[in-house]
Amino acid sequence: PEFRLRQDCRMPKVITRTMIFQSSPECVVDKTFWHHPDMIIGECVDMIGDSNIHKPGQRQHKNGTLGYRVKGYGTNENDYAMMPNTIMFPLWKPVDFRSTGGIRIMAEDKALGEYGYTGYHFHNFFDSTEVLRGKYATSYGHANPHASRQPLGEIQEDLNIAINCVTERPDVPYKDKLRSKKRVVGGFGAIAGLRPLLFEHSEYRIARQQELRELVLEDESKFGQFT
Protein backbone atom coordinates (compact mmCIF):
# COMPACT_ATOMS: atom_id res chain seq x y z
CA PRO A 1 0.00 0.00 0.00
CA GLU A 2 2.93 2.41 0.53
CA PHE A 3 3.51 2.58 -3.22
CA ARG A 4 -0.04 3.38 -4.30
CA LEU A 5 -0.70 6.82 -5.72
CA ARG A 6 -2.19 9.70 -3.68
CA GLN A 7 -0.35 8.92 -0.45
CA ASP A 8 -0.98 11.03 2.64
CA CYS A 9 2.75 10.59 3.49
CA ARG A 10 2.12 9.99 7.17
CA MET A 11 3.74 6.55 7.15
CA PRO A 12 5.29 6.13 3.70
CA LYS A 13 8.57 4.32 4.31
CA VAL A 14 9.20 0.60 3.83
CA ILE A 15 12.44 -0.90 5.09
CA THR A 16 13.94 -4.34 4.76
CA ARG A 17 15.79 -6.59 7.17
CA THR A 18 19.07 -7.14 5.40
CA MET A 19 22.01 -9.49 5.49
CA ILE A 20 25.22 -7.43 5.52
CA PHE A 21 28.18 -7.94 3.21
CA GLN A 22 31.22 -5.90 4.27
CA SER A 23 33.22 -4.92 1.16
CA SER A 24 33.26 -8.44 -0.30
CA PRO A 25 30.91 -11.36 -1.02
CA GLU A 26 32.99 -13.47 1.38
CA CYS A 27 32.75 -11.05 4.32
CA VAL A 28 29.29 -11.71 5.76
CA VAL A 29 28.42 -10.31 9.18
CA ASP A 30 27.10 -12.95 11.57
CA LYS A 31 23.89 -12.50 13.58
CA THR A 32 23.56 -8.84 12.70
CA PHE A 33 20.97 -7.29 10.41
CA TRP A 34 20.43 -3.74 9.18
CA HIS A 35 17.36 -1.98 7.83
CA HIS A 36 18.62 -0.48 4.59
CA PRO A 37 17.74 -0.04 1.78
CA ASP A 38 14.75 2.17 2.51
CA MET A 39 11.97 2.80 0.00
CA ILE A 40 9.53 5.71 -0.27
CA ILE A 41 7.28 6.61 -3.18
CA GLY A 42 8.47 9.76 -4.97
CA GLU A 43 5.33 11.75 -4.27
CA CYS A 44 6.25 11.74 -0.56
CA VAL A 45 9.83 12.96 -1.14
CA ASP A 46 10.77 16.64 -0.85
CA MET A 47 11.41 18.35 -4.23
CA ILE A 48 9.44 15.60 -5.99
CA GLY A 49 6.07 15.56 -4.26
CA ASP A 50 3.59 18.44 -4.28
CA SER A 51 4.38 20.86 -1.44
CA ASN A 52 1.11 22.69 -2.05
CA ILE A 53 -0.75 19.56 -0.95
CA HIS A 54 1.77 18.39 1.67
CA LYS A 55 2.40 21.49 3.77
CA PRO A 56 5.76 21.55 5.59
CA GLY A 57 6.01 21.25 9.34
CA GLN A 58 8.64 22.86 11.55
CA ARG A 59 12.30 21.86 11.60
CA GLN A 60 15.19 22.79 13.89
CA HIS A 61 17.14 25.23 11.71
CA LYS A 62 16.86 27.99 9.10
CA ASN A 63 13.54 29.35 10.36
CA GLY A 64 12.05 25.88 10.55
CA THR A 65 13.01 24.75 7.05
CA LEU A 66 16.08 22.55 7.63
CA GLY A 67 17.27 19.88 10.03
CA TYR A 68 15.37 17.35 12.10
CA ARG A 69 11.61 17.64 12.54
CA VAL A 70 10.50 19.41 15.70
CA LYS A 71 8.38 17.46 18.18
CA GLY A 72 4.73 17.77 17.26
CA TYR A 73 5.51 18.03 13.55
CA GLY A 74 6.06 14.40 12.64
CA THR A 75 9.04 12.88 14.43
CA ASN A 76 7.00 9.69 14.01
CA GLU A 77 3.63 8.75 12.54
CA ASN A 78 1.77 9.64 15.76
CA ASP A 79 3.53 12.94 16.43
CA TYR A 80 1.42 15.61 14.73
CA ALA A 81 -0.05 17.39 17.76
CA MET A 82 1.04 20.76 16.37
CA MET A 83 -0.66 20.06 13.03
CA PRO A 84 -4.29 19.35 14.03
CA ASN A 85 -6.76 18.31 11.34
CA THR A 86 -3.95 17.54 8.90
CA ILE A 87 -4.80 14.82 6.41
CA MET A 88 -1.89 15.30 3.96
CA PHE A 89 1.39 15.22 5.87
CA PRO A 90 4.81 16.85 5.18
CA LEU A 91 7.14 15.59 2.50
CA TRP A 92 10.29 13.73 3.54
CA LYS A 93 13.72 15.35 3.28
CA PRO A 94 16.93 13.27 3.15
CA VAL A 95 17.48 13.65 6.91
CA ASP A 96 14.05 12.10 7.54
CA PHE A 97 15.10 8.84 5.89
CA ARG A 98 17.38 8.14 8.87
CA SER A 99 15.68 9.99 11.69
CA THR A 100 11.90 9.93 11.28
CA GLY A 101 9.40 7.29 12.32
CA GLY A 102 6.56 6.25 10.04
CA ILE A 103 7.80 2.95 8.65
CA ARG A 104 6.87 -0.64 8.02
CA ILE A 105 9.56 -3.31 8.29
CA MET A 106 9.43 -6.11 5.76
CA ALA A 107 11.03 -8.78 7.90
CA GLU A 108 10.70 -12.44 8.76
CA ASP A 109 7.68 -12.84 6.52
CA LYS A 110 8.00 -16.34 5.08
CA ALA A 111 6.40 -15.20 1.88
CA LEU A 112 9.25 -12.70 1.46
CA GLY A 113 12.26 -14.30 3.10
CA GLU A 114 11.95 -17.47 5.09
CA TYR A 115 15.50 -17.18 6.42
CA GLY A 116 14.79 -14.06 8.45
CA TYR A 117 16.00 -11.40 6.00
CA THR A 118 14.32 -9.75 3.05
CA GLY A 119 17.23 -8.05 1.34
CA TYR A 120 20.98 -7.49 1.20
CA HIS A 121 23.14 -4.54 2.23
CA PHE A 122 26.42 -4.15 0.34
CA HIS A 123 28.48 -1.92 2.64
CA ASN A 124 31.79 -0.24 1.74
CA PHE A 125 32.31 -1.93 -1.62
CA PHE A 126 35.27 0.35 -2.30
CA ASP A 127 37.97 0.24 -4.96
CA SER A 128 40.09 3.04 -3.48
CA THR A 129 41.18 3.41 0.13
CA GLU A 130 41.60 7.13 -0.49
CA VAL A 131 37.93 7.46 -1.43
CA LEU A 132 36.97 5.24 1.50
CA ARG A 133 38.88 7.44 3.94
CA GLY A 134 37.18 10.46 2.42
CA LYS A 135 33.79 8.91 3.10
CA TYR A 136 34.51 8.48 6.80
CA ALA A 137 36.13 11.90 7.09
CA THR A 138 33.00 13.62 5.77
CA SER A 139 30.10 11.22 6.40
CA TYR A 140 27.20 12.63 8.41
CA GLY A 141 26.20 9.12 9.47
CA HIS A 142 29.41 8.04 11.21
CA ALA A 143 32.03 10.71 10.63
CA ASN A 144 35.53 10.19 12.02
CA PRO A 145 37.75 13.31 12.08
CA HIS A 146 40.87 11.12 12.22
CA ALA A 147 39.98 8.99 9.19
CA SER A 148 42.64 10.51 6.97
CA ARG A 149 45.52 9.23 9.12
CA GLN A 150 44.38 6.27 11.25
CA PRO A 151 44.99 2.64 10.29
CA LEU A 152 41.99 1.54 8.22
CA GLY A 153 40.77 -0.97 10.77
CA GLU A 154 40.69 1.63 13.52
CA ILE A 155 38.38 3.99 11.66
CA GLN A 156 35.17 2.03 12.22
CA GLU A 157 34.12 -1.44 13.40
CA ASP A 158 32.44 -2.50 10.16
CA LEU A 159 35.57 -1.62 8.22
CA ASN A 160 37.69 -3.61 10.66
CA ILE A 161 35.57 -6.70 9.98
CA ALA A 162 36.19 -6.39 6.23
CA ILE A 163 39.94 -5.92 6.68
CA ASN A 164 40.29 -8.94 8.95
CA CYS A 165 38.24 -10.94 6.46
CA VAL A 166 40.23 -10.15 3.32
CA THR A 167 43.57 -10.54 5.11
CA GLU A 168 42.41 -13.79 6.78
CA ARG A 169 43.03 -12.46 10.27
CA PRO A 170 40.88 -13.61 13.20
CA ASP A 171 37.98 -11.56 14.50
CA VAL A 172 39.01 -9.71 17.65
CA PRO A 173 37.02 -7.36 19.92
CA TYR A 174 36.93 -3.88 18.44
CA LYS A 175 38.42 -1.41 20.90
CA ASP A 176 37.52 -3.64 23.87
CA LYS A 177 33.83 -3.79 22.99
CA LEU A 178 32.14 -6.67 24.81
CA ARG A 179 29.79 -7.44 21.95
CA SER A 180 31.90 -6.89 18.86
CA LYS A 181 30.53 -8.05 15.54
CA LYS A 182 31.88 -11.18 13.91
CA ARG A 183 31.83 -12.56 10.40
CA VAL A 184 30.24 -15.80 9.25
CA VAL A 185 32.81 -18.58 9.40
CA GLY A 186 33.11 -19.99 5.89
CA GLY A 187 31.97 -16.81 4.18
CA PHE A 188 29.58 -16.90 1.25
CA GLY A 189 29.45 -20.68 1.06
CA ALA A 190 28.23 -20.93 4.65
CA ILE A 191 25.12 -18.78 4.15
CA ALA A 192 22.14 -20.92 5.09
CA GLY A 193 19.55 -19.30 2.87
CA LEU A 194 19.00 -17.17 -0.21
CA ARG A 195 22.11 -15.50 -1.61
CA PRO A 196 22.76 -12.68 -4.12
CA LEU A 197 22.76 -14.24 -7.56
CA LEU A 198 25.78 -12.28 -8.82
CA PHE A 199 27.90 -13.54 -5.95
CA GLU A 200 27.30 -17.14 -6.99
CA HIS A 201 30.14 -16.66 -9.51
CA SER A 202 33.19 -17.97 -7.68
CA GLU A 203 35.57 -16.21 -10.08
CA TYR A 204 34.19 -12.86 -9.00
CA ARG A 205 34.39 -13.70 -5.31
CA ILE A 206 38.02 -14.79 -5.59
CA ALA A 207 38.98 -11.73 -7.64
CA ARG A 208 37.26 -9.36 -5.24
CA GLN A 209 39.02 -10.85 -2.21
CA GLN A 210 42.38 -10.55 -3.93
CA GLU A 211 41.71 -6.98 -5.05
CA LEU A 212 40.76 -5.91 -1.54
CA ARG A 213 43.68 -7.71 0.05
CA GLU A 214 46.10 -5.80 -2.18
CA LEU A 215 44.39 -2.47 -1.47
CA VAL A 216 44.43 -3.07 2.28
CA LEU A 217 48.05 -4.20 2.46
CA GLU A 218 49.19 -1.23 0.38
CA ASP A 219 47.29 1.12 2.69
CA GLU A 220 48.75 -0.56 5.79
CA SER A 221 52.25 -0.03 4.42
CA LYS A 222 51.56 3.70 4.68
CA PHE A 223 49.31 4.02 7.74
CA GLY A 224 49.99 0.88 9.72
CA GLN A 225 47.86 -2.06 10.85
CA PHE A 226 45.20 -1.73 13.52
CA THR A 227 45.75 -4.21 16.37
Side-chain angles (χ1 to χ4, degrees), residues 9-199:
C9 301
R10 180 172 189 159
M11 191 173 173
K13 188 167 79 166
V14 174
I15 62 177
T16 53
R17 186 173 189 264
T18 56
M19 173 180 288
I20 308 161
F21 292 85
Q22 290 291 356
S23 305
S24 166
E26 295 291 351
C27 303
V28 188
V29 184
D30 191 26
K31 298 178 182 178
T32 300
F33 295 90
W34 285 349
H35 295 297
H36 303 299
D38 312 30
M39 294 163 280
I40 297 181
I41 192 170
E43 68 177 55
C44 289
V45 176
D46 187 52
M47 305 300 291
I48 299 176
D50 191 338
S51 59
N52 292 315
I53 296 174
H54 299 275
K55 300 297 184 182
Q58 286 292 309
R59 296 178 179 272
Q60 292 179 336
H61 306 293
K62 292 285 186 180
N63 296 319
T65 62
L66 291 177
Y68 296 115
R69 296 184 181 195
V70 173
K71 187 171 178 58
Y73 291 93
T75 58
N76 61 62
E77 67 270 24
N78 298 313
D79 179 46
Y80 287 98
M82 303 303 294
M83 301 178 70
N85 304 317
T86 298
I87 59 173
M88 300 299 279
F89 297 88
L91 300 173
W92 285 48
K93 291 181 178 289
V95 67
D96 298 327
F97 279 67
R98 279 185 173 264
S99 65
T100 301
I103 62 175
R104 180 168 65 91
I105 302 174
M106 298 177 66
E108 299 182 283
D109 183 336
K110 288 194 175 183
L112 297 169
E114 62 181 313
Y115 301 102
Y117 53 90
T118 52
Y120 309 108
H121 188 116
F122 307 134
H123 190 236
N124 282 340
F125 269 63
F126 61 92
D127 56 12
S128 162
T129 56
E130 181 179 356
V131 171
L132 181 67
R133 289 176 176 279
K135 168 198 167 179
Y136 281 97
T138 59
S139 169
Y140 72 93
H142 37 212
N144 181 337
H146 309 295
S148 63
R149 57 184 182 274
Q150 284 181 323
L152 274 180
E154 188 175 0
I155 293 174
Q156 205 255 345
E157 182 179 14
D158 297 318
L159 191 51
N160 189 49
I161 291 174
I163 290 168
N164 287 336
C165 172
V166 300
T167 57
E168 299 182 352
R169 298 169 188 158
D171 288 318
V172 294
Y174 178 76
K175 296 185 177 181
D176 298 322
K177 288 181 65 174
L178 295 177
R179 298 184 61 188
S180 291
K181 300 173 185 176
K182 296 181 179 180
R183 61 188 189 266
V184 172
V185 176
F188 185 80
I191 296 174
L194 300 175
R195 306 184 297 193
L197 189 59
L198 173 64
F199 293 172

